């Protein structure tokens, strides 16, 4: 009888512990998903809906479904936060971490208003694993705190839930940013290759300046496509940044930049349209043909932008040679910046971008 009683007590303790460990799961769509270029009614984790704009480029159509630059805003008084998310496929790229490609990371707002990195959701490198359930943080004070959850940069999210204490509250909160700047470009801004989502250059620039820099960039693309110009024309934005010359030839710049710049500038006549040149990466150090091509592109850009900035009062061109340090140590693959490279680039460009935005009534954080 005593053994039975002890067994029942043990079982009760086990069930009590299990109940205490239970979480309440909330679908992220009931919270506030931010960072879209244009919201896609069919897919809340897609940056844009490419269909209405007639995109035929398969890479752009696929990358449009990626959650690159998206983040979820919420507040909770839970002592724990877990995340469960599913992606369409698990395919590891050779020049980035699995975390930046498929993982998530969490930022918490401190009392002073600063956003601080709190936790990361790791992933496995097995191509068979497409759903992850990770405890991000435990043992917090049972006080209400604000959070920002950055989503994967190189994956298509199919499902996302946030788990909190069963008796805790969790609610959507607004984006912390009053203004937004849509940023159009290549893999550098897409972004390859920071260590995790919250270290992406646009995420970092957003926290630095207190402005939402939206990710409308595509790996291997950003060639001033007419469809992309149409998207930019339709965007609700306070300014536009174009880093769109890395994948173009000198001839493409010569033929396309005038029409592209005119289209975007006229669509947003009272907004700043800022163009940035491609980086002179390490591939141009020894390869004479690539170096010659890179120099030719910059010479064309200098000539074209001198005319465009005079023709349109809202068009700007910021050229900072060797913005990444110029020593080839700031890249993961001799082409794309690593965390060091992005830090150098942001330190170089952020003050100049902030100065232009100020002309248009966009207040930024002090650097």
């Amino acid at each position: 009888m005593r053994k039975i009683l002890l067994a029942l007590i043990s079982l009760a303790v086990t069930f009590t512990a299990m109940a205490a460990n239970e979480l309440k799961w909330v679908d992220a769509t009931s919270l506030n998903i931010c960072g879209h270029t244009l919201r896609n009614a069919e897919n809340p984790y897609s940056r844009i809906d490419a269909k209405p704009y007639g995109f035929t480029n398969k890479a752009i159509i696929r990358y449009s479904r990626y959650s690159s630059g998206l983040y979820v805003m919420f507040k909770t008084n839970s002592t724990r936060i877990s995340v469960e998310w599913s992606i369409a496929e698990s395919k590891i790229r050779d020049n980035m971490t699995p975390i930046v490609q498929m993982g998530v990371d969490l930022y918490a707002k401190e009392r002073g208003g600063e956003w601080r990195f709190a936790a990361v959701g790791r992933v496995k490198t097995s191509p068979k694993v497409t759903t992850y359930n990770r405890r991000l943080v435990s043992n917090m004070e049972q006080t209400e705190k604000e959070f920002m959850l950055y989503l994967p940069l190189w994956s298509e999210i199919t499902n996302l839930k946030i788990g909190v204490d069963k008796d805790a509250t969790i609610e959507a909160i607004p984006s912390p940013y009053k203004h937004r700047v849509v940023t159009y470009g290549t893999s550098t801004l897409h972004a390859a290759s920071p260590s995790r989502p919250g270290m992406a250059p646009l995420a970092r620039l957003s926290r630095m300046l207190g402005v939402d820099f939206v990710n409308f960039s595509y790996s291997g693309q950003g060639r001033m496509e007419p469809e992309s110009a149409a998207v930019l024309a339709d965007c609700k934005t306070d300014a536009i940044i174009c880093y769109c010359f890395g994948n173009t030839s000198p001839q493409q710049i010569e033929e396309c930049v005038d029409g592209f710049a005119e289209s975007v500038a006229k669509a947003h006549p009272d907004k700043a349209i800022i163009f940035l040149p491609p980086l002179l990466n390490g591939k141009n150090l020894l390869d004479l043909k690539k170096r010659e091509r890179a120099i030719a592109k910059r010479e064309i850009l200098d000539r074209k932008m001198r005319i465009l900035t005079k023709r349109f009062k809202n068009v700007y061109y910021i050229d900072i040679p060797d913005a990444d340090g110029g020593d080839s140590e700031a890249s993961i693959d001799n082409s794309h910046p690593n965390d060091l490279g992005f830090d150098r680039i942001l330190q170089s460009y952020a003050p100049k971008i902030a100065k232009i935005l100020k002309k248009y009534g966009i207040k930024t954080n002090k650097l």
Side-chain angles (χ1 to χ4, degrees), residues 18 64 88 155 177 197 216 263 269 278 282 289 318 338 353:
M18 288 175 63
S64 291
S155 295
Y177 308 120
F216 178 50
S263 175
K289 286 187 177 181
I318 307 175
N338 53 24
I353 291 173

Side-chain angles (χ1 to χ4, degrees), residues 21-66:
N21 287 325
E22 283 185 9
L23 293 175
K24 174 172 61 178
W25 290 95
V26 176
D27 196 290
T29 56
S30 68
L31 302 175
N32 187 15
I33 305 172
C34 305
H36 303 85
T37 304
L38 290 168
R39 289 188 180 271
N40 184 342
E42 295 182 2
N43 185 353
Y45 305 110
S46 173
R47 294 185 281 168
I48 67 166
D49 182 357
K51 292 179 182 178
Y53 293 91
F55 283 103
T56 57
N57 186 306
K58 292 182 180 179
I60 291 180
I61 294 172
R62 182 174 73 256
Y63 290 147
S64 291
R65 297 195 297 266
Y66 285 10

